[in-house]
Amino acid sequence: MYRIRGFEIHDGYLDRHAQSSVFSAVQEIARAAPPYAPMTPWGKPMRVKMTSAGRLGWYSDRRGYRYVDQHPDGIPWPPIPEVIMEMWRDLVPGGRDPECCLVNYYGEDARMGLHQDKDEADFAYPVVSVSLGDDGLFRIGNDTKGGKTESLWLRSGDVVVMGGDARLRYHGIDKIRFGTSTLLPKGGRINLTLRVVT
Ligand code: MD3
Ligand code: FE
């Protein structure tokens, strides 16, 4: 484990076997709650496809960003699979369980601009991120817009814990290196973020 700007980077946290187990769990979530491209508040669909597991799922439309208790098709979000819960309990011991596991799918040209995650009620809880599949170039900024940023490649099996001082840092994914991993049969990158929401 090493730290950059308060982010705990657990590189190689999941070995190949564990990555396959977590990927199977993600496919189970995607079967119950199909990934979709959320509409941004400014009316453009996101390039990253998303779905969620847990009591609450992250959602966006013309009215803004928020957590909702159902998939846009009106189905309840599936429960967070146990293999995913185990990672949270290992890395964030003794606290509440996450209420949301947001699943992000990055195809060849998908990226996510620099943003803060502040739709949650309690910033004392960290966000845990799990990367699967192709490499993604992760950019870390500051607590306000602008200033110098640092970038690092996240690889399949890497886990990042964003807590304490790092919880409100600007961050994003600039690009993925399509085809760098054989974990996902169709290529691309999956990121899971585990969050306490309320
Ligand atoms: C830092 N996802 O879902 S994960 C997101 O790879 C998101 O899909 C990116 O940013 C991805 O909101 C980056 C790393 C991450 C996630 C949540 C954070 C970094 C964070 C919350 C607070 C601070
Ligand atoms: Fe984020």
Side-chain angles (χ1 to χ4, degrees):
M1 194 273 277
Y2 63 97
R3 284 193 171 83
I4 298 177
R5 297 195 183 191
F7 288 64
E8 277 179 28
I9 320 284
H10 299 257
D11 52 330
Y13 179 86
L14 298 173
D15 66 17
R16 179 70 188 209
H17 184 82
Q19 289 169 42
S20 296
S21 309
V22 175
F23 177 57
S24 298
V26 173
Q27 286 179 298
E28 198 183 300
I29 295 169
R31 268 199 306 276
Y36 60 94
M39 194 56 76
T40 56
W42 43 94
K44 245 184 92 177
M46 293 187 181
R47 272 184 272 194
V48 178
K49 287 189 171 182
M50 298 184 178
T51 188
S52 293
R55 199 168 68 72
L56 292 167
W58 189 85
Y59 186 68
S60 172
D61 61 13
R62 294 305 288 258
R63 287 154 53 206
Y65 303 145
R66 60 198 178 276
Y67 286 92
V68 296
D69 62 11
Q70 284 193 344
H71 184 277
D73 293 349
I75 45 189
W77 303 109
I80 300 175
E82 202 58 27
V83 276
I84 295 173
M85 280 300 215
E86 281 166 9
M87 292 190 275
W88 172 274
R89 292 179 187 140
D90 177 42
L91 294 163
V92 189
R96 288 168 59 187
D97 278 342
E99 297 163 296
C100 174
C101 173
L102 174 62
V103 180
N104 294 156
Y105 282 89
Y106 294 77
E108 188 141 24
D109 297 313
R111 52 195 179 78
M112 189 180 285
L114 278 180
H115 66 277
Q116 286 175 301
D117 287 32
K118 46 182 188 181
D119 301 318
E120 303 77 23
D122 188 354
F123 303 134
Y125 277 93
V127 172
V128 172
S129 145
V130 181
S131 294
L132 296 174
D134 291 337
D135 301 348
L137 185 58
F138 182 47
R139 189 202 290 254
I140 307 170
N142 303 287
D143 292 347
T144 53
K145 275 189 179 164
K148 286 191 177 169
T149 63
E150 285 175 72
S151 295
L152 64 124
W153 285 98
L154 292 177
R155 296 194 169 75
S156 196
D158 292 351
V159 174
V160 186
V161 180
M162 286 73 53
D165 285 350
R167 180 63 181 77
L168 292 173
R169 268 326 170 246
Y170 274 84
H171 59 277
I173 295 287
D174 285 339
K175 58 181 168 187
I176 73 159
R177 248 182 335 217
F178 195 82
T180 43
S181 166
T182 55
L183 185 72
L184 279 60
K186 293 178 186 168
R189 174 174 182 268
I190 292 173
N191 183 263
L192 309 178
T193 45
L194 296 166
R195 303 144 185 267
V196 170
V197 174
T198 60

